[in-house]
Amino acid sequence: MIISLAAKKSHLTVYLAMLLNFLLLAGCARASDTDGLYLRTAFAFNQIESTTFYLHGDQIAWNPKGGVDPFDFAAAEKSEPANVGHFKINGDQMEITWGGGRAAQSLKIERQNGKMSALDGGLVSKVGSYSNDQKLDATFGGVMLAGGEGGITGGRTITFAKDGHFSTATLATAELNPNVAGGTGSVASDNSGTYTLSGNTLTLNFAGGKTEKHTVFPYNTSTDPANAKLDDEKLFYDTFQLARER
């Protein structure tokens, strides 16, 4: 049987297309093993420290803000360059090159069942996410500022309604000079609007026209689900942990 040159070229084109498709799928599979938002919990300075990091391809963002569906690396490189960079994994080491003049790091990785379970001594796990356009009927609250100059402390509550509306209440107090009359002050504010919650991104559309995006995920601190309390349910909100109040 004689096969024409055109037929051979056609077969070769089909084979190359199949090979390219396989390589692309294989690449996606490898990326999906690492890509995602992680929670890292470590014990430091006599207290539990929780941080997050987001991996996508060879890029990393530490404590990513503004949502990760998708995460805007270009914007973060301008606003917080020292918290974004590139990484590669060599065996049990994650080698990170940061932006903003921050020194490069080589962090030890530990694995369990083939998945990353610790990074630089802190326990690590991929976080959960919300369903597409999920609606909540709950109130979360907690401290969102602490210490710093002026002894600034503050708290925030966020109430979500199933009809897609939200309201927030924020109270910030600054202890400027406790030894002087009038040396303390507080500012309270209330806002409302509509929200969209999908994956690990919360978008708040305020009635005044302002829009905010936050990196969020749900988790529960109860070790015994049968005896879980309402405030064991948490909303991780950028770098803050808000407990469910209602």
Side-chain angles (χ1 to χ4, degrees):
M1 182 176 64
I2 299 176
I3 301 177
S4 68
L5 181 60
K8 288 182 178 180
K9 287 184 177 179
S10 177
H11 289 346
L12 180 60
T13 300
V14 172
Y15 172 77
L16 289 175
M18 292 174 64
L19 178 61
L20 178 60
N21 187 54
F22 170 80
L23 291 174
L24 288 173
L25 288 174
C28 290
R30 286 195 298 272
S32 65
D33 288 341
T34 304
D35 284 8
L37 182 63
Y38 294 78
L39 173 66
R40 178 180 177 273
T41 305
F43 187 74
F45 305 108
N46 294 321
Q47 61 182 2
I48 299 295
E49 179 185 65
S50 296
T51 55
T52 60
F53 61 94
Y54 177 68
L55 303 180
H56 181 73
D58 68 341
Q59 294 179 289
I60 181 171
W62 201 259
N63 284 330
K65 302 180 183 67
V68 296
D69 304 283
F71 181 71
D72 193 340
F73 280 98
E77 286 171 358
K78 295 178 181 179
S79 61
E80 295 183 304
N83 283 337
V84 292
H86 291 80
F87 77 97
K88 60 180 179 180
I89 295 177
N90 288 327
D92 65 350
Q93 297 292 315
M94 177 184 287
E95 299 176 0
I96 308 174
T97 302
W98 298 105
R102 180 178 173 181
Q105 290 181 294
S106 183
L107 306 180
K108 184 178 179 180
I109 295 173
E110 296 176 44
R111 296 181 176 86
Q112 187 173 13
N113 298 324
K115 297 181 180 180
M116 190 188 316
S117 60
L119 179 66
D120 194 30
L123 297 178
V124 163
S125 62
K126 273 190 177 181
V127 305
S129 60
Y130 292 97
S131 60
N132 188 44
D133 196 23
Q134 184 164 341
K135 295 294 184 289
L136 303 177
D137 182 16
T139 297
F140 294 88
V143 175
M144 297 186 67
L145 297 169
E149 284 207 27
I152 299 175
T153 59
R156 189 179 200 185
T157 60
I158 306 178
T159 298
F160 299 97
K162 279 194 172 285
D163 64 359
H165 285 80
F166 77 92
S167 62
T168 69
T170 303
L171 175 65
T173 302
E175 189 172 305
L176 305 177
N177 189 338
N179 299 316
V180 177
T184 61
S186 62
V187 178
S189 62
D190 295 282
N191 290 285
S192 61
T194 60
Y195 72 93
T196 302
L197 179 61
S198 294
N200 296 117
T201 302
L202 170 66
T203 303
L204 302 178
N205 299 301
F206 290 87
K210 181 179 69 171
T211 297
E212 291 181 359
K213 286 192 174 184
H214 300 276
T215 301
V216 297
F217 60 87
Y219 72 108
N220 201 300
T221 57
S222 174
T223 56
D224 181 6
N227 296 314
K229 303 185 299 295
L230 190 67
D231 60 2
D232 286 326
E233 185 180 339
K234 301 290 194 296
L235 170 71
F236 205 101
Y237 183 94
D238 290 333
T239 58
F240 304 102
Q241 300 179 45
L242 306 182
R244 183 165 179 175
E245 299 177 351
R246 179 186 65 82

